[in-house]
């Protein structure tokens, strides 16, 4: 039983470019959440997708957008990259909200903006 | 913004000793979860304690929750080198209608052989 799969594992982009990160949830999970983790910090909630809609959003600018597909997989898009967007981006899947049973996290995508 | 604050920020102990990490939070919660992260990789869910529970055990892990003090502790008994990792507490702020976890900044635990 595969867990959460994220791709790519590492990515280097230039300031101003756009990036798309991908996530396949654990089998049986229907909800995907995205988190940003800066070096030495705890993860910060970006947004959550359920039934192909954004259910809740954290304090992130509109440059951050997402999508969930009918097979529950998800994408995170970041436009007009800034140096400060360099971080580990984590995808977490769960059944419904995951708040009562915990999340399953992927290994993350390390994004470096130069 | 981060709700939880872990204490200490870093902890180094000898293998076989017990490790205790503390977490404080600011708002009322439905539950509190602890996660482990190895070397900047993905987080692994360790244990979830509900707001109406005071203590929970899982293997060598013991978690306590004091909602009156808005604090929790994670005890790892008989530590092993493989326990070396960062540990995070995460809460779901009840008043914000759930849907997300708010993490602290973590405790970096080092187990020395």
């Amino acid at each position: 039983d595969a867990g959460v799969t994220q791709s790519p594992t590492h990515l280097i982009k230039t300031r101003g470019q756009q990036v798309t990160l991908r996530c396949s949830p654990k089998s049986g999970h229907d909800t995907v959440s995205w988190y940003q983790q800066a070096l030495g910090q705890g993860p910060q909630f970006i947004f959550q997708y359920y039934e192909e809609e954004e259910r809740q959003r954290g304090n992130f600018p509109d440059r951050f957008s997402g999508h969930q597909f009918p097979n529950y997989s998800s994408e995170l898009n970041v436009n007009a990259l800034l140096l400060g967007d360099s971080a580990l981006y984590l995808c977490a899947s769960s059944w419904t909200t995951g708040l009562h049973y915990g999340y399953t996290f992927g290994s993350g995508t390390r994004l470096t903006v130069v | 913004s981060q709700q939880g604050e872990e204490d200490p920020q870093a902890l180094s102990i000898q293998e076989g000793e017990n490790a205790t990490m503390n977490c404080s939070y600011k708002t009322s919660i439905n539950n509190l979860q602890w996660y482990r992260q190895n070397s900047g990789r993905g987080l692994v869910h360790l244990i979830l304690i509900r707001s109406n529970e005071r203590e929970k055990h899982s293997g060598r892990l013991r978690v306590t929750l004091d909602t009156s003090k808005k604090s929790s502790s994670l005890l790892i008994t008989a530590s092993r080198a493989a326990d070396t990792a960062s540990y995070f507490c995460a809460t779901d702020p009840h008043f914000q209608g759930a849907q997300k976890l708010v993490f602290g900044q973590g405790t970096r635990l080092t187990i020395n052989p």
Side-chain angles (χ1 to χ4, degrees):
Chain A
D1 179 23
V4 177
T5 304
Q6 290 189 244
S7 63
T9 56
H10 295 84
L11 200 54
I12 299 176
K13 288 287 189 178
T14 303
R15 189 173 47 183
Q17 286 188 316
Q18 178 264 344
V19 68
T20 297
L21 311 181
R22 295 177 175 81
C23 172
S24 293
K26 181 178 179 178
S27 178
H29 286 180
D30 59 6
T31 302
V32 173
S33 304
W34 287 92
Y35 287 80
Q36 180 196 65
Q37 186 179 22
L39 198 62
Q41 303 293 314
Q44 298 240 359
F45 175 76
I46 303 175
F47 40 54
Q48 183 179 84
Y49 278 85
Y50 172 70
E51 293 188 337
E52 303 180 50
E53 291 190 358
E54 184 181 288
R55 181 152 61 177
Q56 189 171 25
R57 187 180 185 89
N59 188 26
F60 279 80
D62 292 343
R63 298 186 297 109
F64 289 77
S65 63
H67 190 78
Q68 185 179 35
F69 299 94
N71 66 352
Y72 307 121
S73 67
S74 177
E75 290 182 348
L76 164 65
N77 301 291
V78 186
N79 294 322
L81 285 166
L82 304 174
L83 297 179
D85 295 330
S86 294
L88 179 68
Y89 288 85
L90 295 162
C91 171
S93 75
S94 59
W95 179 73
T96 67
T97 68
L99 295 173
H100 302 293
Y101 304 100
Y103 291 87
T104 300
F105 279 83
S107 296
T109 294
R110 174 73 63 184
L111 173 65
T112 302
V113 182
V114 298
Chain B
S1 62
Q2 300 196 299
Q3 158 154 258
E5 292 185 4
E6 280 94 341
D7 171 53
Q9 291 188 350
L11 179 62
S12 181
I13 61 174
Q14 295 299 120
E15 193 168 18
E17 294 180 338
N18 295 341
T20 300
M21 288 158 274
N22 302 297
C23 167
S24 60
Y25 57 91
K26 299 175 184 175
T27 66
S28 61
I29 60 173
N30 290 315
N31 64 59
L32 184 144
Q33 304 179 31
W34 285 90
Y35 288 82
R36 183 185 74 228
Q37 185 176 42
N38 291 86
S39 301
R41 296 182 60 80
L43 282 78
V44 174
H45 181 258
L46 296 176
I47 197 166
L48 180 153
I49 185 166
R50 305 187 193 286
S51 59
N52 61 354
E53 297 175 311
R54 292 297 168 258
E55 186 171 314
K56 201 163 183 179
H57 297 256
S58 177
R60 294 184 295 113
L61 306 180
R62 172 179 168 251
V63 170
T64 62
L65 179 64
D66 187 334
T67 53
S68 66
K69 295 181 179 179
K70 292 187 171 56
S71 67
S72 174
S73 67
L74 171 66
L75 168 67
I76 303 175
T77 61
S79 63
R80 306 167 181 169
D83 295 328
T84 294
S86 291
Y87 291 81
F88 295 89
C89 68
T91 58
D92 64 324
H94 182 64
F95 72 92
Q96 293 185 15
Q99 317 304 348
K100 68 177 185 181
L101 289 179
V102 180
F103 287 83
Q105 294 193 340
T107 293
R108 294 188 309 278
L109 175 63
T110 301
I111 308 299
N112 302 304

